[in-house]
Amino acid sequence: TPSDSKKLTPMLRQYYAIKAAQPDCILLFRLGDFYEMFGSDAEIASSILHIALTARHKGSENEIAMCGFPHFSAEQYIRKLIKAGHKVAICDQTSDPSLPGIVERAVTRIVTPGTLLSDADDQQIRLLAAINQHQGYWGIMFCNVSTGEISPGHGQTLPDIIDQIRIRFPQEVLVTESGKNALAPLLEQSNLPTILTVVPQGQSPEMMIAHYIAHTQQSEAKHLFQDQQSTIPTVLLDEMTVRNLELVRNAHDGKVYGSLLDSINATVTAAGYRFLHAMLLHPLTSKPHIEERLNLVESFSQSGQLRSQLQTHLKKSSDIEKIIAKIVLRSGTPRDLGNLHQRSEERRVGKECR
């Protein structure tokens, strides 16, 4: 923030006041039909996004670096900034621009690596994790914010937690200050490129996630639900087993290509892909559950017409979990509502196929 704020224009004074409350974010400041970035944010963003870096009030004492993009293209640019490891605060106009005086603005959403709702790759499973310590034991919880699915991790020691992070690869981890001090050196030593975000103490991992979503999305996380796999008896796989068997990533560069998941994946929906991914990491141990799954496989393998009919409908279907999450978190669009209606019709047709 400039030392002499009296020389700033009202708009820049407003910008710096809002930016001061979001020091760890790149601030997208809405000006008309554009989102603009200023100062160091503009310099960082122009390099990542490959957009022109200009200046506002050029040649004056208020000159400041500046770059921007149209508001209707925001999602694709936000994804690039997130992929580069940054957090993004979206500051929108909250009053009528036609009224006299400066337009009121406020941060309406904060997008972080763990809370990005839309991803260009439907097979990208983006996770937010939360870690805390209670009575000497460590606990971890994972959440796919874009679908609302939460699942507990396993283990009670810091090495167990690191093992879980290696297996699930969360893009962002919520920790307390003391948790960060304990975890950061181990993550660096293990070469795990995940972002640590400090949150207040005295919360369970699940509450840490719910409060963080409410803070960043400006909306209650009412879409969270327990992962069904976490309630079924499964084999607890350690990180070495998952890595050596190349269940969901290859051992060469950690990508999905060449893994068992890549080899057997014939799913036609994003939800199906997520379920297959979860099944590979959590093999069943309960005989009744195993037999139930095999009976379903047998039914579909013996009825080509049913399989073909269902696949046809699934290929046209939308990702209902992600649509509901976007609507709950007030990021939904009319297109999302239309897709939700279409999916409800598909479910009706699916029932008639039984």
Side-chain angles (χ1 to χ4, degrees), residues 164-175:
Q164 289 289 295
I165 291 175
R166 282 201 188 104
I167 292 172
R168 303 293 296 275
F169 274 90
Q171 280 73 20
E172 184 176 4
V173 179
L174 306 180
V175 290

Side-chain angles (χ1 to χ4, degrees), residues 221-277:
K222 294 181 179 180
H223 68 306
L224 300 183
F225 67 95
Q226 191 79 17
D227 171 22
Q228 290 182 347
Q229 293 291 126
S230 63
T231 63
I232 299 173
T234 60
V235 178
L236 178 57
L237 301 177
D238 60 29
E239 186 272 335
M240 186 173 293
T241 301
V242 173
R243 176 161 44 88
N244 290 341
L245 293 178
E246 297 183 297
L247 295 181
V248 294
R249 294 181 182 84
N250 69 56
H252 174 61
D253 58 8
K255 304 295 184 183
V256 174
Y257 176 77
S259 66
L260 177 61
L261 173 62
D262 178 55
S263 300
I264 68 173
N265 177 36
T267 59
V268 295
T269 67
Y273 178 83
R274 292 193 298 268
F275 187 58
L276 177 61
H277 184 281

Side-chain angles (χ1 to χ4, degrees), residues 28-285:
L28 303 187
F29 194 74
R30 183 72 178 264
L31 285 176
D33 291 333
F34 284 78
Y35 280 117
E36 305 287 359
M37 291 148 283
F38 298 99
S40 60
D41 282 358
E43 293 168 359
I44 293 169
S46 66
S47 175
I48 295 170
L49 304 176
H50 303 292
I51 55 179
L53 182 67
T54 59
R56 191 175 181 89
H57 305 303
K58 197 166 187 176
S60 74
E61 57 185 341
N62 286 332
E63 181 175 334
I64 183 173
M66 170 182 170
C67 69
F69 48 76
H71 73 94
F72 54 79
S73 304
E75 289 300 327
Q76 61 176 309
Y77 288 113
I78 290 172
R79 282 197 296 266
K80 290 180 180 179
L81 292 172
I82 295 298
K83 189 175 180 180
H86 295 280
K87 299 177 182 179
V88 177
I90 302 172
C91 178
D92 285 310
Q93 298 174 170
T94 57
S95 67
D96 188 347
S98 65
L99 296 176
I102 188 169
V103 178
E104 294 179 9
R105 295 178 176 87
V107 171
T108 56
R109 184 160 60 104
I110 300 172
V111 186
T112 72
T115 61
L116 181 65
L117 297 181
S118 60
D119 209 305
D121 182 3
D122 282 340
Q123 294 187 343
Q124 168 76 37
I125 299 176
R126 190 170 287 275
L127 294 176
L128 173 69
I131 297 171
N132 78 343
Q133 188 181 27
H134 181 65
Q135 296 181 348
Y137 296 102
W138 291 85
I140 184 168
M141 182 77 72
F142 296 95
C143 177
N144 185 335
V145 179
S146 71
T147 65
E149 185 175 75
I150 56 174
S151 57
H154 302 282
Q156 298 178 329
T157 67
L158 268 181
D160 291 336
I161 298 301
I162 295 295
D163 212 41
Q164 289 289 295
I165 291 175
R166 282 201 188 104
I167 292 172
R168 303 293 296 275
F169 274 90
Q171 280 73 20
E172 184 176 4
V173 179
L174 306 180
V175 290
T176 61
E177 191 65 52
S178 59
K180 180 181 180 181
N181 294 336
L183 201 62
L186 294 176
L187 288 175
E188 186 175 351
Q189 184 181 347
S190 303
N191 195 28
L192 289 170
T194 188
I195 290 179
L196 294 179
T197 298
V198 176
V199 297
Q201 298 192 36
Q203 305 176 83
S204 67
E206 191 169 349
M207 290 307 298
M208 290 164 72
I209 288 172
H211 288 162
Y212 187 65
I213 293 173
H215 166 68
T216 57
Q217 307 302 305
Q218 303 288 302
S219 179
E220 287 187 60
K222 294 181 179 180
H223 68 306
L224 300 183
F225 67 95
Q226 191 79 17
D227 171 22
Q228 290 182 347
Q229 293 291 126
S230 63
T231 63
I232 299 173
T234 60
V235 178
L236 178 57
L237 301 177
D238 60 29
E239 186 272 335
M240 186 173 293
T241 301
V242 173
R243 176 161 44 88
N244 290 341
L245 293 178
E246 297 183 297
L247 295 181
V248 294
R249 294 181 182 84
N250 69 56
H252 174 61
D253 58 8
K255 304 295 184 183
V256 174
Y257 176 77
S259 66
L260 177 61
L261 173 62
D262 178 55
S263 300
I264 68 173
N265 177 36
T267 59
V268 295
T269 67
Y273 178 83
R274 292 193 298 268
F275 187 58
L276 177 61
H277 184 281
M279 285 195 294
L280 289 175
L281 291 178
H282 303 91
L284 297 175
T285 60

